[in-house]
């Protein structure tokens, strides 16, 4: 019952055990923006340049963090970007060049499994 013990300890590990890698080159990246204007300046370009297959925008998230020694709380938007893992370095570089934040949040993780037709579409939609 090793798998059930691991599953009880960590859902993430359980998912990895039950759903082996899809063999794709897919990743998801999260990027925060300050407002709709910033989002609208970034999102279409990520898709047009084929750095992203799809970007979901989650409005009105609350972010709390330390910045230059001060506790800050802001309302931001969260972008969920689906791309190829091989494109992540280019995507990060592009966002750093075009985003107004001094230190922009761009964090990415590989997609270990998913709906095969969607993952094929993601690959076909990125370059």
């Amino acid at each position: 019952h090793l798998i059930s013990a691991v599953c009880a300890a960590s859902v993430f590990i359980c998912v990895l055990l039950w759903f082996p890698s899809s063999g794709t080159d897919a990743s998801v990246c999260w990027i925060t923006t300050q407002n709709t204007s910033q989002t609208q300046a970034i999102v279409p370009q990520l898709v047009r340049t084929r750095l992203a297959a799809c970007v979901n925008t989650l409005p009105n998230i609350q972010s709390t963090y330390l910045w230059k020694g001060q506790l800050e709380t802001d309302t931001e938007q969260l972008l969920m970007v689906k791309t190829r893992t091989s494109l992540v370095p280019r995507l990060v570089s592009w966002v750093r060049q075009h985003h107004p934040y001094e230190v922009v949040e761009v964090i990415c993780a590989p997609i270990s499994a998913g709906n095969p037709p969607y993952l094929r579409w993601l690959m076909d939609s990125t370059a």
Side-chain angles (χ1 to χ4, degrees), residues 59-99:
N60 301 319
I61 64 162
Q62 184 173 314
S63 299
T64 303
Y65 53 94
L66 285 175
W67 181 248
K68 297 184 179 181
Q70 298 294 316
L71 183 65
E72 303 283 343
T73 299
D74 289 314
T75 299
E76 296 182 295
Q77 295 192 355
L78 180 64
L79 309 180
M80 190 169 73
V81 180
K82 277 73 75 184
T83 189
R84 292 176 185 235
T85 302
S86 59
L87 291 175
V88 166
R90 283 181 41 207
L91 183 140
V92 170
S93 177
W94 189 95
V95 171
R96 290 182 67 199
Q97 290 174 12
H98 294 89
H99 198 292

Side-chain angles (χ1 to χ4, degrees), residues 33 38-49 52 54-57 77 79 81 94:
T33 61
Q38 283 182 6
T39 296
Q40 290 173 343
I42 291 170
V43 170
Q45 293 293 31
L46 290 177
V47 176
R48 276 192 200 107
T49 59
C54 175
V55 180
N56 304 109
T57 302
Q77 295 192 355
L79 309 180
V81 180
W94 189 95

Side-chain angles (χ1 to χ4, degrees), residues 91-118:
L91 183 140
V92 170
S93 177
W94 189 95
V95 171
R96 290 182 67 199
Q97 290 174 12
H98 294 89
H99 198 292
Y101 282 3
E102 184 178 337
V103 179
V104 61
E105 175 184 4
V106 184
I107 54 175
C108 304
I111 298 172
S112 62
N115 178 20
Y118 179 83

